[in-house]
Every structure is written in C-alpha cells, then in structure tokens.
C-alpha cells in the first residue's frame, strides 16, 4: 500500500515525451483516470489512506476499489483568501460519488461564483496538470467539473 | 429548577475569572494564565493552598508544561498537575479533568486554567506548501506536493463554510443571509461585553458586504485570533456545605460534564463532521442533567465561524430538526429570543484564544447564573449550557445550574 505510484510516460507531442506523476497516490492515471480507495472487505467503508483496521467495523482486511467518476456536489465554498502560492478564487468542494464515496476536491472548469456552482450539481472526475519539476516530470491533480 | 447544594455528590463552580480577550504584547501567556488563576481563587475566597489538583490547557504551549509554569508564578504546593491539549476543546477538557478528580473522590477542590497567546498569527492557511523541485510521493496520501488549494481547502474559514453548506444542501431556508445573521447578532451582543476583544456593531448589509474569505464566510463572519486566559475553581458538594452562605449562594452546579470524539461517518473521512459528536454530547448532557433544551436560559456555543453556529442550533436541540434557518429568521437565538445564544459576543467578536475558550464559556454562563453579568445579564437565568468543538474532533459540553439557596 505504501509503494510509490507508477510513473506513466505519455507522448504529449510526437517528439517530447513527458513523464507524469499523480498529485496523490490514490489518483490512478491512464486512459481513463479514477480514484482508488481501500475498501473494508466486511463493511465496505472506504479510505483513501492506509488504515490499520477499519474505523467503522474494526476488520483488518482491505481490497482496492475503483471509485465511480460521476458525483454530486454535497458542499462547497469559494475560497478568496487562499494559502500562499495558491491561485484564488477557487471552488473547494465535497462531492458524493454515484457509489456513495465522499471525496474532497476542487470544482474546475467552472466560474468560481455562487451563481454558477450549485449544491446538488452533477459533476464528473477530470484531471489537469499543476506543475513540472526539475526533471521535467509533470504533476497531475484531479478535480470535478460540471457534467 | 434551581440546584440543591445538599447533594454532596455534585461538583460546583466556586470561583471563576476571565481576562479581557485581545492582544497583550507586553505580557506573555504565563502572565495571563497566572493572573486569571489568582483572580478565580480570589473570587471563590480560597488560595492555591486549598487546591488539590491543577489542570492547565493550552494548545500551543502544552509541551511547555503550562500547569507547572503557573505554579511557579502563584505557588508550588506539590499537587498533581495535568497539562492538556485537545484542539478547541482544550479548556473544556481542563475543566473536565478537575471535575473527574472530584467525582472520583481524589480531590475536594481544584483549579482549571485555559490560556492562549496567538497574537496576529492568522488562522487561514492549512499545511504550508512545500516547494519541491523533484516530485517524490510522501505522507499518508503519497502526495508529491501540498494539496491545499488543489484538492479542496484546508483553510478553516473554508472548512467550516463547507460544513455550513452541507447543512444548506440538506435543509431548506438556509443560505448566505441566515449565516450572516449569526455574525450580525454576535457583533451586536459583544457591544455589551467589556471583556470582548471587539465591541463594534455592524449592520447585516455590512456583514454580507465585507471581504469574502471563503464564501459564504466574510471577514466579519470569522473569529479573530487573540490572547487571553480564563479559570475556574471547582469544589465538591460536600466541601461546599462547610463553606459560607455567600459561597453557597454564588456557587453554580455542574449538572453535566461531557466529552465526546468522532464516531465513524462516511463523509467525516474527508469533511470534518462537527455534527455527530455534538449531537452525541448533547444527548448525554441532557440525559445526565435531566435538563431539557427548552429549559435553557442561555447557551454559549462554538461559533468559530458563522456557518458553524447555525449547525449547532440544530445539534443542541435548540430548534426543530432541520429548522436552524427558520429559527434565526424568527429571532430565536437573539438576546430577547427563545434561547439567547452567545450573549458574550461569541468567538466571532468576544475572541477565541483557543485554550481559554472552553473555560471562558463557563465563566460567562456562571456569571449570568449568579446575576452578575451587568449590562449583558440575561434576566432571571437559572440554567445554561456551554459547548466547544475542536477539529479532529473533540466536543465538550457543560450544563450549569444556579444554586437554590
Ligand atoms: Zn469495515
């Protein structure tokens, strides 16, 4: 569970391949990116980090689960005063996926305004690059955009 | 129904004090805590030599041994000291530590002190973003760089905004205006409290028009950082019986002292769930005390952000389930409403020096039950409730009742 996420090489242009790495290890990149949760084999509770035992039922066995990409906005805030270095305003949200998993994320490709973002709004998972390191490796974050 | 001091098993507030909250560039946290401790004991007409236990709460200085630092200032008597840190429930945890020692029969009298000196540190940012030049996964999520601002916000105004918006998603009649009314009320209340950090009234339009921190929380809907200390002296009912009539008359009974943490909830894994543990604590407190929410004459609850206060009307049973929006629209939590909430000005305007907050709430309610709250006195108050919650999470509730004598 602690192993490094595999770096994926994609041909961005024909001549310059760019190495990509997910912002967090539970984001699985590829042709169809998704979030991977550790799911309790007894009660089905899902966790994005590693747990010694299920915080809900106490069972110690987990399996990998593919979280559905379709979701609805459960709560959001439009952050105007952000941490240093973070572009603002941006929309921070808590979404509930079609299969009932709660995820923290930004809402992207959407005007950061209370007139545009709506509680209950249908969204879907997307990915986008957030920066490149000294070795030319690109970090990719996930977000949810209006569906 | 006023409390009967003849039951020796109860625990009582004998003395209490809080410093004015604000900024003290010429004092340190040891000065503030010691001053408050001395005043609380003087209020109860006792001294450090009467204390059999000391619990000291400070979130930022717990590792510096605040209890022992206070003893060096006011009296080293060799009694057991407990230094506690429990997020924003730190002060309530200090009180409960002394309460439990008295309940267990290990002490008859003890002192709880809460203190914090925050200056102008600001409470906005989450984890500091690391400037890595090479993306290497680290931490429990294998993150290659800071996630605050990319995977949602870690900033407190935003985290609590989301908690409020979750309630708005589930219930009708809750929106920006209802949240803003909370801050309008609390700023207005603070104008009557000489111990509040800020004492300025703002119109609802000014609250809503202030710079947005994290929608729907504007600057005037967020608590400030600050400095301050608060203390209580607790005594057993048995010992109180041997004290003066005046002491018995001013003593306030702790009818319930409850501390809870988060039970598992699905959404609580990513959005702090401030509701479930508050509901659990409230249920236990009402059960233990026999007090019904409708009996409460005043409530001091954890309004770190305006969006948070509204949720707790519902969590504490002050309004109908799902009806927090309607309740504030009808004036329920205002000074002259059904159940006045945060007549002190609340964290939003009285201030929130973290370790002191959970003790200052008990100071406030005690002062009203004694009829000593001056301009801000809730007339005829006999029962009150204090509530604090710290993310992580920890919730402390105390129910207090006026003495019958
Ligand atoms: Zn489980």
């Amino acid at each position: 569970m602690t192993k490094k996420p595999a770096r994926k090489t994609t041909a961005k242009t024909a001549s310059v391949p760019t190495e990509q790495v997910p912002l967090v290890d539970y984001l699985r990149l590829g042709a169809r990116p998704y979030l991977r949760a550790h799911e309790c084999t007894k009660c089905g509770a899902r966790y994005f980090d590693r747990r010694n035992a299920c915080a809900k039922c106490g069972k110690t066995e987990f399996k990998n689960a593919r979280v559905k990409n379709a979701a609805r906005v459960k709560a959001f805030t439009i952050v105007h005063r952000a941490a240093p270095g973070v572009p603002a305003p941006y929309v921070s949200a808590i979404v509930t996926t079609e299969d009932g998993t709660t995820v923290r994320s930004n809402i992207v490709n959407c005007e950061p305004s209370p007139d545009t973002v709506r509680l209950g709004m249908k969204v879907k998972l997307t990915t986008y690059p957030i920066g490149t390191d000294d070795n030319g490796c690109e970090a990719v974050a996930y977000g949810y955009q209006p569906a | 129904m006023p409390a009967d001091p003849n039951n020796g098993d109860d625990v009582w507030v004998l003395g209490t004090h809080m410093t004015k909250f604000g900024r003290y560039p010429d004092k340190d946290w040891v000065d503030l805590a010691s001053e408050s401790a001395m005043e609380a004991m003087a209020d109860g007409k006792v001294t450090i030599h009467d204390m059999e236990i000391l619990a000291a709460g400070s979130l930022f200085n717990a590792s510096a041994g605040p209890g022992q630092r206070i003893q060096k200032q006011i009296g080293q008597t060799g009694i057991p000291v407990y230094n506690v840190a429990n997020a924003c429930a730190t002060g309530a945890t200090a009180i409960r530590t002394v309460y439990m020692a008295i309940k267990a029969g290990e002490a008859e009298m003890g002192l709880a002190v809460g203190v914090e000196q925050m200056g102008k540190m600001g409470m906005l940012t989450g984890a500091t973003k690391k400037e890595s030049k090479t993306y290497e996964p680290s931490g429990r999520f294998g993150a290659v760089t800071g996630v605050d601002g990319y995977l949602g916000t870690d900033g407190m105004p935003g985290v609590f905004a989301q908690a409020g918006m979750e309630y708005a998603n589930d219930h009708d009649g809750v929106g920006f205006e209802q949240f803003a009314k909370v801050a309008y009320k609390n700023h207005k209340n603070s104008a009557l409290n000489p111990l509040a950090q800020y004492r300025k009234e703002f119109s609802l339009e000014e609250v809503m028009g202030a710079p947005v921190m994290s929608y729907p929380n504007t600057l005037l809907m967020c608590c400030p950082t600050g400095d301050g200390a608060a203390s209580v002296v607790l005594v057993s009912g048995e010992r109180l019986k041997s004290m003066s009539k005046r002491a018995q008359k001013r003593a306030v009974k702790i009818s319930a002292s409850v501390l809870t943490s988060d039970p598992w909830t699905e959404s609580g894994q990513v959005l702090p769930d401030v509701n479930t543990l508050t509901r659990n604590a409230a249920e236990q407190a009402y059960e233990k005390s026999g007090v019904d929410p409708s009996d409460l004459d005043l409530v001091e609850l954890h309004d770190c952000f305006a969006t948070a206060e509204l949720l707790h009307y519902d969590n504490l049973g002050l309004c109908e389930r799902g009806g927090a929006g309607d309740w504030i629209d009808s004036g329920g939590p205002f000074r002259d409403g059904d159940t006045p909430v945060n007549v002190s000005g609340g964290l939003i305007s009285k201030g929130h020096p973290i370790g002191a907050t959970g003790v200052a709430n008990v100071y406030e309610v005690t002062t009203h039950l004694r009829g000593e709250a001056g301009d801000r006195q809730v007339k005829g108050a006999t029962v009150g409730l204090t509530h604090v919650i710290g993310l992580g999470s920890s919730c402390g509730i105390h129910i207090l009742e006026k003495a019958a004598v």
Side-chain angles (χ1 to χ4, degrees), chain B residues 134-222:
Chain B
T134 307
Y135 290 139
E136 283 296 334
S138 70
R140 299 187 75 83
F141 295 101
V144 297
T145 185
V147 302
D148 182 22
Y150 291 111
L151 303 183
T153 180
D154 287 332
M156 288 298 119
V159 168
F160 280 93
Q162 287 175 165
M165 292 297 269
E166 181 186 34
Y167 188 80
N169 185 37
D170 294 341
H171 303 289
D172 292 336
V174 178
F176 186 20
E177 189 173 330
Q178 283 66 42
F179 293 128
K181 279 180 182 173
V182 168
Y184 161 74
K185 169 181 70 71
N186 292 354
H187 285 291
K188 190 176 165 68
N189 285 344
S190 71
L192 296 173
N193 185 357
L195 300 173
Q197 184 164 352
Y198 296 106
R199 302 185 65 191
K200 189 168 165 6
E201 281 188 49
F202 297 92
S203 67
L204 184 60
E205 292 67 33
E206 286 173 315
V207 171
M208 295 179 78
V212 179
M213 306 301 276
S214 276
Y215 176 89
N217 283 326
T218 68
L219 184 62
L220 291 173
M221 296 161 72
C222 302

Side-chain angles (χ1 to χ4, degrees), chain A residues 40-45 47 54-59:
Chain A
C40 172
T41 56
K42 184 181 176 196
C43 77
Y47 306 94
C54 174
K56 184 182 184 186
C57 77
K59 173 106 176 180

Side-chain angles (χ1 to χ4, degrees), chain B residues 231-403:
Chain B
S231 306
V232 294
V233 175
L234 302 188
V235 65
S236 71
E238 200 58 44
R239 177 74 179 273
L240 182 62
K241 277 196 252 179
S242 70
M243 303 184 86
S244 72
K245 268 278 174 275
R246 181 176 182 273
Q248 291 181 18
K249 200 173 152 63
R250 291 180 78 242
V252 164
K253 183 183 149 191
I254 300 181
S255 300
S257 170
V258 175
L259 194 66
T260 57
S261 64
D262 281 331
W264 182 93
T265 60
E266 161 59 34
S267 64
Q269 303 304 309
V270 294
L271 172 67
D273 172 12
V274 299
N275 303 310
T276 310
L277 80 167
T278 296
R279 285 180 178 278
N280 289 351
E283 195 177 312
Q284 288 179 39
Y286 293 137
E287 164 91 32
K288 281 180 185 165
S289 62
V291 167
D292 186 81
S294 63
D295 299 332
L296 297 170
D297 297 311
L298 76 159
V299 170
E300 289 285 308
L301 63 75
H302 205 74
D303 61 321
C304 46
F305 297 91
T307 43
E309 176 165 322
L310 207 78
L311 307 178
H312 298 312
Y313 298 158
D314 200 327
N315 294 330
L316 298 174
L318 307 181
C319 65
E320 281 179 30
R321 193 102 193 222
D326 288 347
W327 198 56
I328 192 155
D329 282 342
S330 75
F334 283 73
R335 270 194 67 81
D336 54 358
D338 309 335
T339 312
V341 174
N342 289 332
V343 292
S344 66
L347 280 57
I348 286 176
S349 197
K350 180 180 68 176
H352 183 26
I354 297 175
T357 294
V359 185
N361 287 352
V362 170
Y363 164 86
E364 181 70 16
V365 171
T366 298
T367 304
H368 284 271
L369 300 186
R370 287 168 161 184
E372 298 173 359
D375 291 344
R376 68 185 189 286
Q377 176 70 42
V378 172
K379 287 199 180 66
T382 59
V383 190
L385 179 148
T386 67
H387 159 264
V388 284
I389 178 167
L391 289 189
S393 296
S394 184
C395 174
I397 288 183
H398 286 94
I399 290 180
L400 303 166
E401 292 185 80
K402 183 185 173 70

